[in-house]
Amino acid sequence: MENNKMLSGPDKKGHWGIFGGRFVPETLIPALLELESAYRKCSHDASFQAELRSILKDYVGRPTPLYEAKRLGDALGGIRVFLKREDLTHTGAHKINNTLGQILLAKRMGKTRIIAETGAGQHGVATATVCALMGLKCEVYMGKKDMVRQAMNVFRMEITGARVIPVETGTQTLKDATNEAIRDWVSSVKHTHYIIGSVVGPHPYPMMVRDFQSVIGKETRRQILKVVGRLPDYVIACVGGGSNAMGIFHPFVRDTNVKLIGVEAAGEGLNTQHHSATLTLGRPGVLHGTMSYLLQDKWGQIQGAHSVAPGLDYPGVGPEHSALKDSGRVHYDTIDDQEALNNGFRFLSELEGIIPALESAHAVAYLHKLAPKLAKGSVVVVNLSGRGDKDVAAVADIFKGQNP
Amino acid sequence: MKTSQNRIQNTFKGLKQKNEAAMIPFITAGDPFTDLTEELAVAMAENGADILELGMPFSDPLADGPVIQAASLRGLEAGMNTHNYLKLVQNIRRQSQIPLVFMGYYNMVYQYGLKAFAEDAVSAGLDGAIIPDLPIEEADEWIAVARRAGLDTIFLAAPTTPMERIERIAQRSRGFLYYVSVTGITGARQELPAELAQNLAMARNHARLPVAVGFGISRPQQVAMLSQVADGVIVGSAIVRLIEDGIRQGVPATALVQRIAGFVRELKQATRYGIKPGQGA
């Protein structure tokens, strides 16, 4: 009963059990109510859905392929591995599924300016891209540290007409970029829509972003049934904020014989201070408008996260993941930096000629942990949430340092 | 149900009889070190502050502008945490009967435990609590435990809040209703919104408790003007800025305390008699 509630949520106020909700300054409440009502209207509006579908097809390139990585499967002892190729979308990651949905919504709400936060820059690029497409003004908050790590994405945002605002407070990463974006929104809420990039933030964002991303799982379900004739045994996705994972998990949540695995970043190790294993080592608390698992100290001060993958470098996680963890429906495990680099990034590049994003490399690397436990012929889907172009310079430096 | 000391209520009653608005300064606990916060609090109480809002530093203060963000960081670096905060309150309470109000983000209260925090807050000598990221929809349990402990729940209303919602917020508030002057975060503003006086008048019509106004207010003239239309005026960033300047200039602690006490005196003066054009800072 309790579990069923967890699987269907959120409730009217945006809760999954104790998780989720709307913990924001009062100034934002009317905007969130307006957004929720606009979103509910659009999700039943045929013309909205038709417009979204058409742009997803012709501009984003959906449906993305479900590709059987046979050499990978053979190398892992004869399992069948299918990669959901979100890396092949326009802009190179799943992020655009969400930014496109939200910008269509923003236009219908009559908003004239868009803001966003970004960590790795993929969400920033996806936001800047749809703003160019729709002719809306765009400003993206990005931690200064991330701007250095992801210089190429800064350029991509700027060339598509966005202004990238460096955030120099706190850890200078995604967490602080999100703080600044919220502060901006508190001041500009009348004409500005805030496109949050993951299944985090106050209600209705976690639900809405999940819904826009669940196109991934809906396609996967259809595709695997067509190719294999049955549902997969496992679906694996990396989890930072958790939007690619929610997107692929959601349409499978009720299929209880499909095991769902979320992979968090163990960074330099779970026994160090430098990881992003929020669900694995955190406790429930409130950050950025939602109740969810958090990396924090005894007093509730938020701790910095670390991962070699900037998109996983976040001390929070989507509230629905917290509920799915507590209900036992999804199993959350971790992969550290070295595993992601060697068993993910390098392994997939060498065996399949596909360079994954460092974030997605965590999900790929998890196959090494899982495969020894599987029977031959087991069917495993991995969400390849993004491509690795953005990471090649950073990874080249790391590999150079390791093999002098 | 325990009855609170009603320090906040009594303060507003007393001021009303004198036809004055409450002067409510804000400082951050532990900025730049705990003993100075204690001295500042007592000095402000002795120099005209009617209620003191004491901020608990948080790592991610998303309703705050740069000045209070920096103060939070200094407080955390000085070792402030919820436990030390309550000890500090105890020390201030020993020296002053000024109503003390907690201002802090929800996660710190939640991690401490809602019930434990409300009870310990009251035993330490706090009278009320402002939690800027806890809107009324999420506050049922907090309201229940705070009422039982005798701690006033002070909620915020903003220029974006519709009147029927202000009514609901006011119903859940005790002590006073915190009216946010601007659509934005904390921090001094050159200009306050033209419609502020009118908004405040409407809010006061809908609230059956005192309404204090805060955010963006930094000058005695603004305080004088707002004292005509609000029951209390909150000044935060402008005072915290004086602390920041003092640190930067290497001003000795005693001189800094005097400087801030003088500013509070000036602000209090403005709530009493108003200020004639051309006077004040």
Side-chain angles (χ1 to χ4, degrees):
Chain A
M1 179 72 191
E2 189 59 25
N3 275 4
N4 274 338
K5 240 194 292 178
M6 293 288 195
L7 300 187
S8 59
D11 67 17
K12 271 195 181 145
K13 286 182 180 174
H15 293 105
W16 291 267
I18 67 162
F19 300 110
R22 241 191 301 248
F23 297 88
V24 292
E26 178 61 31
T27 306
L28 291 180
I29 295 285
L32 291 170
L33 296 173
E34 179 199 0
L35 177 62
E36 185 188 352
S37 123
Y39 172 65
R40 288 196 193 278
K41 223 176 279 163
C42 286
S43 57
H44 300 296
D45 180 305
S47 75
F48 178 91
Q49 295 300 331
E51 187 178 5
L52 178 59
R53 257 198 314 275
S54 144
I55 305 175
L56 281 173
K57 175 171 169 283
D58 298 330
Y59 186 75
V60 176
R62 303 209 73 91
T64 58
L66 184 71
Y67 162 73
E68 179 162 13
K70 290 200 171 120
R71 276 169 49 80
L72 191 71
D74 288 345
L76 291 165
I79 59 172
R80 298 187 72 183
V81 178
F82 292 83
L83 303 176
K84 180 59 175 166
R85 299 293 307 273
E86 293 302 296
D87 60 318
L88 294 179
T89 56
H90 177 46
T91 71
H94 70 290
K95 293 291 185 185
I96 197 163
N97 301 327
N98 167 48
T99 59
L100 191 58
Q102 285 201 47
I103 202 154
L104 292 180
L105 194 57
K107 280 198 89 162
R108 297 212 172 193
M109 289 165 65
K111 303 287 180 179
T112 53
R113 173 177 174 258
I114 298 293
I115 56 170
E117 84 296 335
T118 196
Q122 289 303 104
H123 173 59
V125 167
T127 304
T129 300
V130 297
C131 285
L133 180 67
M134 298 290 164
L136 285 184
K137 192 176 169 207
C138 178
E139 297 187 297
V140 180
Y141 288 91
M142 188 171 190
K144 209 170 174 196
K145 198 172 130 191
D146 287 335
M147 287 181 71
V148 175
R149 294 199 278 187
Q150 305 285 338
M152 184 183 81
N153 276 343
V154 175
F155 179 77
R156 293 170 77 192
M157 286 184 262
E158 286 173 347
I159 194 77
T160 47
R163 189 161 81 96
V164 182
I165 304 171
V167 175
E168 299 181 32
T169 50
T171 57
Q172 304 193 356
T173 61
L174 179 57
K175 169 178 87 88
D176 301 280
T178 307
N179 288 339
E180 280 307 316
I182 293 175
R183 289 181 188 122
D184 180 315
W185 202 35
V186 171
S187 312
S188 62
V189 60
K190 207 165 170 193
H191 304 294
T192 296
H193 175 65
Y194 176 19
I195 299 190
I196 293 184
S198 192
V199 286
V200 299
H203 182 59
Y205 283 102
M207 169 184 79
M208 179 173 75
V209 177
R210 173 200 73 194
D211 291 351
F212 285 137
Q213 290 295 359
S214 63
V215 65
I216 305 172
K218 284 179 195 157
E219 287 175 9
T220 302
R221 209 168 188 288
R222 231 176 12 245
Q223 290 165 323
I224 199 83
L225 283 172
K226 196 167 167 203
V227 179
V228 184
R230 66 174 176 90
L231 293 176
D233 300 303
Y234 286 87
V235 176
I236 304 172
C238 66
V239 178
S243 69
N244 90 80
M246 264 335 297
I248 197 163
F249 289 167
H250 190 63
F252 292 102
V253 160
R254 285 167 188 283
D255 304 306
T256 46
N257 50 346
V258 179
K259 297 185 186 71
L260 307 175
I261 297 178
V263 183
E264 294 194 294
E268 292 171 13
L270 295 182
N271 53 350
T272 70
Q273 294 285 308
H274 305 278
H275 60 77
S276 303
T278 309
L279 289 160
T280 308
L281 294 179
R283 312 193 299 286
V286 169
L287 177 68
H288 296 151
T290 192
M291 172 85 71
S292 194
Y293 277 78
L294 281 184
L295 296 178
Q296 54 185 324
D297 73 8
K298 182 182 170 196
W299 303 108
Q301 306 291 344
I302 308 306
Q303 286 172 329
H306 165 84
S307 168
V308 69
L312 303 182
D313 197 342
Y314 182 63
V317 65
E320 192 167 4
H321 282 294
S322 294
L324 288 167
K325 173 193 160 77
D326 281 6
S327 73
R329 177 63 189 97
V330 179
H331 174 65
Y332 294 89
D333 208 327
T334 61
I335 285 294
D336 68 24
D337 286 352
Q338 287 309 316
E339 293 171 303
L341 286 163
N342 295 314
N343 299 344
F345 196 88
R346 191 196 288 273
F347 188 64
L348 188 64
S349 301
E350 287 178 359
L351 278 181
E352 297 283 351
I354 298 171
I355 304 173
L358 278 174
E359 293 78 16
S360 324
H362 284 71
V364 175
Y366 189 77
L367 289 168
H368 284 257
K369 269 193 177 177
L370 181 68
K373 301 175 209 162
L374 298 186
K376 268 195 176 151
S378 296
V379 174
V380 181
V381 173
V382 176
N383 196 13
L384 202 66
S385 55
R387 72 174 87 120
D389 304 28
K390 69 181 177 62
D391 298 312
V392 290
V395 176
D397 281 350
I398 294 171
F399 284 157
K400 222 183 291 167
Q402 285 173 349
N403 310 303
Chain B
M1 197 182 286
K2 247 188 269 177
T3 46
S4 69
Q5 303 261 0
N6 282 327
R7 285 192 198 94
I8 296 177
Q9 204 184 322
N10 293 339
T11 296
F12 278 109
K13 261 191 210 155
L15 288 167
K16 197 170 184 183
Q17 283 165 3
K18 293 192 276 180
N19 206 18
E20 286 176 19
M23 194 313 93
I24 311 176
F26 167 95
I27 54 172
T28 300
D31 170 29
F33 54 92
T34 309
D35 289 351
L36 186 69
T37 306
E38 186 181 324
E39 270 184 66
L40 279 172
V42 174
M44 289 194 291
E46 286 168 352
N47 283 276
D50 295 300
I51 296 171
L52 175 63
E53 193 186 325
L54 189 58
M56 168 66 210
F58 182 48
S59 54
D60 296 81
L62 51 76
D64 286 303
V67 172
I68 292 175
Q69 286 175 46
S72 286
L73 206 62
R74 289 193 296 269
L76 289 174
E77 277 164 5
M80 188 46 64
N81 60 36
T82 320
H83 175 77
N84 294 340
Y85 178 97
L86 293 173
K87 263 199 341 213
L88 168 65
V89 167
Q90 245 170 20
N91 291 338
I92 298 169
R93 179 54 76 222
R94 261 186 230 119
Q95 302 163 69
S96 171
Q97 283 308 304
I98 187 170
L100 289 169
V101 173
F102 166 90
M103 200 306 288
Y105 290 82
Y106 185 58
N107 195 46
M108 296 179 293
V109 177
Y110 184 76
Q111 297 309 324
Y112 196 96
L114 300 186
K115 182 163 176 284
F117 182 78
E119 287 168 357
D120 291 358
V122 170
S123 335
L126 280 167
D127 300 287
I130 302 164
I131 305 178
D133 58 345
L134 186 70
I136 51 172
E137 285 80 1
E138 304 288 350
D140 287 352
E141 193 187 343
W142 168 243
I143 292 170
V145 299
R147 292 277 184 283
R148 238 171 281 138
L151 186 68
D152 285 340
T153 52
I154 297 155
F155 287 96
L156 299 99
T160 53
T161 315
M163 276 305 149
E164 63 80 26
R165 188 174 165 86
I166 290 186
E167 229 165 277
R168 283 189 288 138
I169 293 171
Q171 278 164 11
R172 288 161 178 79
S173 298
R174 295 291 183 274
F176 61 93
L177 175 73
Y178 191 135
Y179 191 85
V180 176
S181 68
V182 294
T183 304
I185 52 179
T186 62
R189 306 289 201 282
Q190 278 306 310
E191 298 279 330
L192 293 171
E195 63 280 8
L196 177 59
Q198 198 191 341
N199 285 350
L200 273 166
M202 284 208 285
R204 281 169 99 189
N205 273 340
H206 285 78
R208 260 175 272 155
L209 78 170
V211 175
V213 59
F215 281 38
I217 303 159
S218 60
R219 294 196 306 268
Q221 290 98 321
Q222 293 170 321
V223 172
M225 189 276 280
L226 291 169
S227 294
Q228 317 293 316
V229 287
D231 302 294
V233 184
I234 301 158
V235 176
S237 295
I239 294 172
V240 175
R241 172 57 69 74
L242 288 180
I243 297 176
E244 189 180 291
D245 290 348
I247 296 167
R248 197 178 302 124
Q249 297 157 2
V251 176
T254 40
L256 183 59
V257 172
Q258 274 173 16
R259 194 186 277 186
I260 288 167
F263 184 52
V264 168
R265 221 161 31 234
E266 214 183 320
L267 295 172
K268 179 58 206 174
Q269 206 58 350
T271 70
R272 271 188 193 123
Y273 312 112
I275 281 209
K276 294 188 191 83
Q279 256 183 288

